[in-house]
Amino acid sequence: YCTTIRDSRRARETDLLKRVHKCVERGGKVLIPVFALGRAQELMILLDMYWERMNLNVPIYFSGGLIQKANVVYTNFINWTNQKIKQTYHKRNVFDFKHIQPFERNIAENPGPMVLFATPGMLHTGLSLDVFKKWAPGEANLVILPGYCSPGTMGNAVLNGAKRLDFEGRPSIDVRCTVIALSFSAHADAKGIMQLIKMAQPQNVLLVHGEKEKMHE
């Protein structure tokens, strides 16, 4: 993050919504690999509210497991969330999603557009990778990676332009779908980190975590 300067949050949210809407409008499927706690709920609220405003009826799904457990916690403890979320509570609990429902694996084979939030976020195993294998060959489909993908993961490979992926003992797949990164990380970017250093004015700055190449930059 220390070498990256992100667009404003509003600009990234607008970009994500436009891309998702455009994809499903032309009949494509959207896969959003997410981290189960925090990132998933944040983006699900964003799409759920947008679907409500735009009166869209394209199905949105989320994978079960940890996302589902986290949703229950957020729903029950909404008073612990930020002021913006709490202010909506007099109308309804925003974690009681109107347009988002649990995902069953057989749904991935269904025809027509849909959106799926699936773990893990780096696209290296689990449901997100399984669905990616099914949807990647479709040119109309879209994969949005909203979080960091470390080297060696499938997410990192496709973000670096891999168009054919080999799997040990299994058939290769061609990546014909669109793959983009739209960072919604809670970490500060280069500008935020430099502002913190300027404000704190430490004698030394010690880099203890990150990719070696980026740290040398």
Side-chain angles (χ1 to χ4, degrees):
Y1 301 100
C2 196
T3 60
T4 303
I5 297 178
R6 294 192 293 261
D7 293 334
S8 71
R9 182 172 189 82
R10 183 177 293 275
R12 282 176 280 143
E13 289 178 352
T14 300
D15 193 13
L16 181 139
L17 294 172
K18 284 182 176 179
R19 288 176 182 271
V20 171
H21 193 164
K22 184 178 179 180
C23 180
V24 298
E25 201 170 41
R26 66 172 186 254
K29 294 175 170 61
V30 182
L31 173 63
I32 307 179
V34 287
F35 301 111
L37 184 61
R39 187 81 42 79
Q41 290 73 30
E42 175 186 1
L43 297 180
M44 286 162 69
I45 289 174
L46 187 64
L47 254 69
D48 195 58
M49 289 182 168
Y50 182 77
W51 251 235
E52 184 74 9
R53 290 199 309 270
M54 303 301 291
N55 196 29
L56 299 176
N57 57 11
V58 173
I60 306 176
Y61 301 100
F62 68 91
S63 59
L66 190 54
I67 289 183
Q68 194 160 10
K69 292 177 181 178
N71 286 351
V72 172
V73 174
Y74 276 100
T75 301
N76 292 336
F77 294 93
I78 191 170
N79 286 331
W80 292 10
T81 60
N82 65 39
Q83 194 62 34
K84 183 179 179 181
I85 296 295
K86 284 190 286 190
Q87 285 174 348
T88 66
Y89 187 52
H90 70 280
K91 296 180 182 178
R92 71 179 180 93
N93 191 318
V94 293
F95 298 103
D96 289 331
F97 301 113
K98 285 186 176 182
H99 304 275
I100 306 177
Q101 54 194 306
F103 181 78
E104 300 291 340
R105 284 182 177 268
N106 62 299
I107 294 175
E109 307 288 351
N110 289 357
M114 68 180 74
V115 180
L116 171 62
F117 292 93
T119 56
M122 294 191 187
L123 203 62
H124 60 285
T125 187
L127 181 64
S128 63
L129 180 58
D130 290 343
V131 174
F132 175 78
K133 291 176 183 177
K134 296 178 186 294
W135 293 0
E139 293 182 3
N141 299 334
L142 171 66
V143 177
I144 298 176
L145 291 158
Y148 173 75
C149 293
S150 62
T153 62
M154 201 62 65
N156 184 268
V158 294
L159 283 177
N160 284 316
K163 295 300 181 185
R164 188 172 182 82
L165 301 174
D166 297 317
F167 299 92
E168 187 175 348
R170 297 183 181 181
S172 300
I173 64 168
D174 293 320
V175 181
R176 299 191 184 96
C177 66
T178 301
V179 180
I180 61 168
L182 281 176
S183 177
F184 282 87
S185 171
H187 294 288
D189 63 1
K191 187 182 293 185
I193 292 172
M194 294 306 295
Q195 286 176 344
L196 176 63
I197 293 172
K198 184 177 180 180
M199 181 179 68
Q201 296 185 339
Q203 291 185 349
N204 299 287
V205 176
L206 181 63
L207 304 180
V208 297
H209 180 71
E211 297 176 32
K212 287 185 178 180
E213 290 183 5
K214 297 289 181 70
M215 291 170 77
H216 284 301
E217 290 181 29

